[in-house]
Amino acid sequence: MAVGQVTPGQLVLSRNGRDQNRYFLVLKILDPDYLLIADGRYRKVDTPKKKKVKHLQLTELVVAEIGEMLQQGKTPTNTQVDSAIRQLLETVEVGL
Amino acid sequence: MIVLKTARELAYMRDAGRIVAETLQEMEKAVKPGVTTAELDAKAEDYIRQQGAKPSFKGYQGFPATICSSINEQVVHGIPGLRKLENGDIISIDVGASVNDYHGDAAITVPVGEIDAELQRLLDVTRQSLHVGIEQARIGNRLFDISHAIQEYVEDNRFSVVRQFVGHGIGKKMHEEPQVPNYGPAGRGPRLQAGMTLAIEPMVNAGTWEVETKEDQWTVVTKDMKPSAHFEHTIAITDDGPEILTRTRGA
């Protein structure tokens, strides 16, 4: 039975810390416990937040284009991240 | 923390692994058009209990069955039910069993009746990618050498590897550290040592690598609804190279 894993471009919700209840995209998986996340607004892509996985709620949503860019070693712009999050939140019911 | 197993622990895992492999053999015999996945599940549970082992999946984080049965575009974690297998389907069957609390975990994807050539190629490439990965499970190599070998083999064959679900360490718990992705850069990750036990499990899609989880919170399907295959073995890293624990006696 396989283990579910966080993937770059995945939408996550902060559950603990001063950024509580904000949505972010995963930029990088540092190790099984820590991720780098950004939302393009509160946390910019060039200064992403290092966050513990257990302080986040993971969603099933992944922004494919941003995921692909990250896999190829490219960094998305703040605008791209911000608008991708907004678009996701507007168009879908976020299942947590 | 990665738990290194003692000889006695490996003996339990070999027992559990053998029972898992025999269960899969039973499953392979039972798969035919008209059979429901619930029937397969019942058969698997009976077999495992007859051997004095316990199904590992039943009740695991609320999973309701002994096997995961994933048909066609379903990637993993399909819940057995009343769906009947049809000629031309492929079905992935994932089984875990424990002996003295030590787990074995393995999966196969099998054709139902006659399947088309490209589907058969998907099964062959996925099975072979597992063995290409296992071949890297040697002392001194790094964990991602396994991951990288699988990814390279699959992508050279123009299929894609699932990113969102990965293999895992296994032992007294079914899911232990480390996570074993089926993609990644060679030469990275923890160094492999004797006594590590890993469940290596490439999930390979005919189309995009992207997947999503259905409303039942378990069944994972491909985003483009193209078929997916899954093969898995539990292996131990030994001084003599990788030992496949989930195999039948004499195999």
Side-chain angles (χ1 to χ4, degrees), chain B:
Chain B
M1 188 187 58
I2 300 175
V3 184
L4 301 180
K5 275 73 179 183
T6 63
R8 183 194 296 181
E9 290 177 304
L10 284 178
Y12 292 149
M13 290 186 68
R14 221 169 266 131
D15 273 350
R18 176 184 49 81
I19 292 165
V20 166
E22 288 168 359
T23 309
L24 286 176
Q25 215 168 36
E26 294 295 311
M27 295 291 96
E28 204 167 353
K29 278 189 246 166
V31 165
K32 50 173 87 89
V35 170
T36 69
T37 49
E39 286 163 3
L40 294 175
D41 184 62
K43 204 168 256 204
E45 180 165 1
D46 287 350
Y47 188 83
I48 290 169
R49 294 200 192 277
Q50 275 165 22
Q51 306 302 310
K54 283 188 207 153
S56 303
F57 298 176
K58 204 163 194 177
Y60 183 80
Q61 294 185 352
F63 190 78
T66 294
I67 63 169
C68 300
S69 56
S70 311
I71 301 170
N72 299 338
E73 78 284 356
Q74 298 174 349
V75 180
V76 285
H77 303 167
I79 299 173
L82 298 177
R83 177 165 174 183
K84 284 195 166 112
L85 298 180
E86 289 176 27
N87 189 48
D89 284 344
I90 55 171
I91 178 172
S92 304
I93 300 171
D94 192 346
V95 181
S98 67
V99 171
N100 291 332
D101 294 332
Y102 285 86
H103 296 271
D105 186 357
I108 52 172
T109 303
V110 291
V112 182
E114 296 285 314
I115 61 170
D116 68 45
E118 187 61 5
L119 267 181
Q120 187 60 50
R121 197 174 76 86
L122 176 67
L123 303 196
D124 294 343
V125 167
T126 310
R127 186 192 302 107
Q128 189 55 32
S129 75
L130 170 59
H131 290 284
V132 166
I134 291 173
E135 196 44 46
Q136 295 298 319
R138 294 179 179 279
I139 296 170
N141 275 2
R142 299 224 184 223
L143 183 69
F144 285 1
D145 291 334
I146 300 173
S147 313
H148 182 75
I150 292 172
Q151 179 178 21
E152 193 172 56
Y153 185 81
V154 168
E155 292 178 355
D156 282 352
N157 281 286
R158 304 188 312 281
F159 294 132
S160 65
V161 291
V162 171
R163 309 283 201 271
Q164 221 171 322
F165 290 85
V166 295
H168 49 92
I170 179 168
K172 203 154 188 170
K173 287 194 286 186
M174 189 169 62
H175 289 161
E176 294 184 351
E177 285 182 47
Q179 295 198 349
V180 187
N182 298 302
Y183 60 94
R188 304 287 289 276
R191 232 176 246 295
L192 301 178
Q193 296 175 48
M196 285 185 182
T197 44
L198 306 173
I200 303 176
E201 46 179 322
M203 291 147 266
V204 175
N205 294 350
T208 173
W209 55 266
E210 288 180 88
V211 299
E212 55 193 25
T213 306
K214 303 293 279 183
E215 306 78 43
D216 64 15
Q217 298 301 318
W218 281 103
T219 312
V220 177
V221 298
T222 55
K223 217 164 199 173
D224 58 11
M225 300 299 273
K226 289 188 179 165
S228 179
H230 178 210
F231 282 85
E232 175 181 19
H233 270 307
T234 298
I235 63 123
I237 292 165
T238 75
D239 293 329
D240 306 324
E243 178 187 349
I244 296 176
L245 301 175
T246 39
R247 65 171 164 199
T248 54
R249 237 183 233 133

